Amino acid sequence: MTVTVDAGRCIACGMCAYAAPEVFRVIGSASTVIAQPEGRDPRVRDAANGCPVNAIRVKG
């Protein structure tokens, strides 16, 4: 599973950092991937599906 955040779309709402704090952190005006998840983490998919501006992409 590979996760990316489109900083240009991100509004830094923090929902992803709340859902998966070991993967996401809000830094400045955008969320950042601080570590790729090990294996398939359903919380990461939930964060991507819940992103209000669809800035999170999950592959794999």
Side-chain angles (χ1 to χ4, degrees), residues 11-54:
I11 59 172
C13 72
M15 190 281 308
C16 58
Y18 179 77
E22 66 285 344
V23 176
F24 302 100
R25 182 169 298 144
V26 176
I27 299 175
S29 62
S31 181
T32 302
V33 177
I34 57 171
Q36 292 295 326
E38 294 183 20
R40 293 181 181 257
D41 188 339
R43 296 173 302 148
V44 174
R45 289 219 185 262
D46 289 345
N49 291 334
C51 179
V53 293
N54 296 317

